[in-house]
Amino acid sequence: MVSRVIPVETFDLVIFGGTGDLARRKILPGLFRRFRSGQMPEGSRIIGAARSDLDQAGYRQMIADAVAEFGGEEKKDSKGLDAFIETLDYVAIDAKGDGGWAKLAEIVRKDVVQAFYFSVAPSLFGDLAERLHTNNIANEQSRIVVEKPFGRDLETARALNETLATHFDESQIYRIDHYLGKETVQNLMAVRFGNMLFEPLWNNHYVDHIQVTVAETVGVGGRGAYYDKSGAMRDMVQNHLMQLLCLIAMEPPSQFGADEVRDEKLKVIRALQPVEPHHIVRGQYDAGPNGPSYREDAENARSFTESFIAMKCEIANWRWAGVPFYLRTGKRMKARSSEITVVFKDLGHSIFEGDEARHRNILSIRLQPNEGMDLQVTIKEPGPGGMRLIDVPLDMTFADALGPDAEEVPDAYERLIMDVIRGNQTLFMRGDEVEAAWRWTDPLINGWEARNDVPKLYDAGSAGPEDALAMMHRDGRRWREIKA
Ligand code: NAD
């Protein structure tokens, strides 16, 4: 198959925090995959910059080990790995002091694409941005990539935006939400805006409701101290689930360009209504046969932080008035499954005698596992005996549909980093979008804190607290089953 991948220019990518968990687990194994598929142009370099006192050889060994530990099939390619680690360099640097900056200035080239990945705690973003300038390393073409969390409320997000804006133009800032790098999430836009079939039905005349579920089986063990100050609302809803909601609900942009798409997403966030307390269910997992309770994992016996949240949201605009959007996310749930589901309205009238069932078309878009889509349609049950109707899925699992010759699907981080090098901001959050999301989220969090809301316990390995099921039942609806 002829590759239609858009080429990238030669680059120097500096990864601040290049020895950290994210860099070793995701960023560098991902870059190795892109290297193997020929997307890293000759002469490009990756420069780790972190606190550890390593030299170039030590860093190369660390990354070879990381690929061996966290990489997929590609790690078997030892010749490729040898060639890849040749592109790596390392500078021991102190974000808060002068150490290492002169050396970094010497290494980073001015005549290639420069990208600086801030894979460090957000408290260091300001220091890095400033030192990149005072040491005359960054220029007007440089790009910076920043990781989540982007603030913990509107005030802190605004302060971060202001800090970055002191040194970089918005067109240089790439705020990562790795959900936007997922293949299926982009497919959502292809399905909506590349087909005649769906868009005419994508509104309150035909859609009954929409569900977004992001269920994880893991608990918070290992990162309990961070998570306990955050909770599911800050960790998942304010960013990932809201991004998904925006892509489902936005108006068609005039073209698939960064500002056109982000303008439309922003309008959705601004149209989100405040959520009534009885439309929010917060949960916390209890101890179960396969693990400890949230409070044990978080090492906080009095924690009221939510590891699960379900909510019913409304978007006040012409397209969506009256269509509920149910969002749900949680840890230690029965299966790892992320899905967006569009449930269409019932037919008003059935012409088939004796057919009492409520037949509905349901489009579900699976983000993980088994990325793909299926559309539930109603057909005649085969065989004699009159017109009996059944609902069957038209299944399109991408891996099956596209076959073995399909271009290798890059993982979210790989794709997004390559977009940074290409200078394409479409799949990155703009500063005003992030602030608008916090503006909607803050009063909800402040509300439950003021009410001393206690999260409902749920069994580890379940679908969340009973109250979340009841919230749906009250509306005469039900959640989609969470299955792997
Ligand atoms: P980590 O603690 O594993 O690594 C931190 C890195 O920062 C190390 O390389 C360390 O040397 C470097 N560092 C710390 N202080 C420094 C200083 N003063 N000067 C220079 N370097 C310094 O953290 P992580 O898990 O890799 O996370 C990095 C960032 O990515 C954080 O903002 C985190 O919230 C975000 N993030 C991480 C994950 C993940 O899966 N780990 C997922 C999403 C977002």
Side-chain angles (χ1 to χ4, degrees), residues 17 19-22 25 50-51 93-95 119-120 122 124 147-149:
T19 59
D21 176 70
L22 183 68
R25 223 158 32 84
R51 245 185 338 192
I93 212 156
D94 181 7
S119 181
V120 294
L124 298 179
E147 265 298 337
K148 84 166 202 184

Side-chain angles (χ1 to χ4, degrees), residues 23-33 66-67 70-71 74:
R24 284 180 302 112
R25 223 158 32 84
K26 291 275 180 199
I27 303 174
L28 282 140
L31 283 164
F32 176 41
R33 282 193 289 276
V67 170
F70 302 114
E74 72 281 1

Side-chain angles (χ1 to χ4, degrees), residues 12 14 16 45 47-50 52-59 88-94 97-110 116 131-132 135-137:
D12 274 355
V14 178
F16 291 108
R45 295 181 316 177
I47 301 150
S52 312
D53 189 17
L54 288 171
D55 58 10
Q56 186 192 63
Y59 188 60
L88 302 180
D89 206 342
Y90 183 78
V91 180
I93 212 156
D94 181 7
D98 293 334
W101 288 96
K103 185 172 171 206
L104 189 67
E106 231 170 74
I107 293 180
V108 177
R109 294 169 292 179
K110 300 254 184 255
F116 300 96
R131 285 191 164 74
L132 279 171
N135 289 283
N136 209 8
I137 301 173

Side-chain angles (χ1 to χ4, degrees), residues 130-198:
E130 190 179 329
R131 285 191 164 74
L132 279 171
H133 273 86
T134 50
N135 289 283
N136 209 8
I137 301 173
N139 57 43
E140 279 164 14
Q141 274 77 47
S142 311
R143 290 143 207 183
I144 58 166
V145 185
V146 295
E147 265 298 337
K148 84 166 202 184
F150 200 86
R152 54 172 285 108
D153 52 22
L154 177 59
E155 197 184 326
T156 48
R158 237 187 220 151
L160 262 182
N161 274 337
E162 277 167 20
T163 304
L164 297 179
T166 316
H167 301 288
F168 294 95
D169 186 71
E170 182 63 34
S171 63
Q172 299 178 277
I173 304 171
Y174 291 72
R175 295 175 194 78
I176 285 227
D177 185 319
H178 70 274
Y179 269 60
L180 293 180
K182 287 178 185 283
E183 186 74 6
T184 330
V185 172
Q186 290 163 65
N187 234 310
L188 175 60
M189 288 184 276
V191 166
R192 277 197 65 189
F193 304 127
N195 289 284
M196 185 52 100
L197 198 59
F198 298 109

Side-chain angles (χ1 to χ4, degrees), residues 12-294:
D12 274 355
L13 168 64
V14 178
I15 306 176
F16 291 108
T19 59
D21 176 70
L22 183 68
R24 284 180 302 112
R25 223 158 32 84
K26 291 275 180 199
I27 303 174
L28 282 140
L31 283 164
F32 176 41
R33 282 193 289 276
R34 292 298 91 208
F35 175 84
R36 286 190 69 229
S37 60
Q39 269 199 64
M40 204 168 138
E42 187 98 33
S44 296
R45 295 181 316 177
I46 298 162
I47 301 150
R51 245 185 338 192
S52 312
D53 189 17
L54 288 171
D55 58 10
Q56 186 192 63
Y59 188 60
R60 288 179 174 180
Q61 187 57 49
M62 173 188 263
I63 299 312
D65 294 345
V67 170
E69 188 177 350
F70 302 114
E73 278 297 297
E74 72 281 1
K75 66 188 174 203
K76 294 180 189 147
D77 173 13
S78 58
K79 253 173 94 181
L81 185 55
D82 287 347
F84 174 66
I85 64 168
E86 287 284 307
T87 68
L88 302 180
D89 206 342
Y90 183 78
V91 180
I93 212 156
D94 181 7
K96 289 193 164 293
D98 293 334
W101 288 96
K103 185 172 171 206
L104 189 67
E106 231 170 74
I107 293 180
V108 177
R109 294 169 292 179
K110 300 254 184 255
D111 55 349
V112 297
V113 173
Q114 288 182 347
F116 300 96
Y117 199 129
F118 291 7
S119 181
V120 294
S123 56
L124 298 179
F125 289 178
D127 296 295
L128 292 178
E130 190 179 329
R131 285 191 164 74
L132 279 171
H133 273 86
T134 50
N135 289 283
N136 209 8
I137 301 173
N139 57 43
E140 279 164 14
Q141 274 77 47
S142 311
R143 290 143 207 183
I144 58 166
V145 185
V146 295
E147 265 298 337
K148 84 166 202 184
F150 200 86
R152 54 172 285 108
D153 52 22
L154 177 59
E155 197 184 326
T156 48
R158 237 187 220 151
L160 262 182
N161 274 337
E162 277 167 20
T163 304
L164 297 179
T166 316
H167 301 288
F168 294 95
D169 186 71
E170 182 63 34
S171 63
Q172 299 178 277
I173 304 171
Y174 291 72
R175 295 175 194 78
I176 285 227
D177 185 319
H178 70 274
Y179 269 60
L180 293 180
K182 287 178 185 283
E183 186 74 6
T184 330
V185 172
Q186 290 163 65
N187 234 310
L188 175 60
M189 288 184 276
V191 166
R192 277 197 65 189
F193 304 127
N195 289 284
M196 185 52 100
L197 198 59
F198 298 109
E199 192 50 27
L201 307 179
W202 214 261
N203 56 52
N204 55 7
H205 298 291
Y206 299 99
V207 175
D208 177 75
H209 73 278
I210 289 176
Q211 300 186 19
V212 181
T213 294
V214 177
E216 299 176 284
T217 50
V218 293
V220 299
R223 57 192 282 260
Y226 156 76
Y227 191 94
D228 204 43
K229 293 196 194 76
S230 159
M233 186 69 165
R234 289 191 172 99
D235 192 50
M236 295 296 291
V237 177
Q238 185 273 344
N239 38 54
H240 308 317
L241 274 81
M242 281 190 70
Q243 288 294 317
L244 298 181
L245 181 139
C246 285
L247 297 180
I248 306 164
M250 71 183 184
E251 295 300 316
S254 59
Q255 55 176 309
F256 192 56
D259 275 330
E260 288 84 352
V261 170
R262 298 186 300 178
D263 286 347
E264 295 307 334
K265 282 169 33 194
L266 181 61
K267 286 185 208 160
V268 174
I269 302 174
R270 287 185 175 154
L272 271 168
Q273 294 300 288
V275 184
E276 300 286 333
H278 65 283
H279 288 151
I280 303 177
V281 177
R282 297 169 65 241
Q284 196 184 75
Y285 60 83
D286 204 353
N290 56 358
S293 68
Y294 172 84

Side-chain angles (χ1 to χ4, degrees), residues 350-365:
S350 174
I351 64 167
F352 304 106
E353 202 181 330
D355 177 41
E356 308 272 315
R358 298 169 76 196
H359 297 292
R360 294 187 144 181
N361 297 121
I362 298 176
L363 175 69
S364 66
I365 299 154

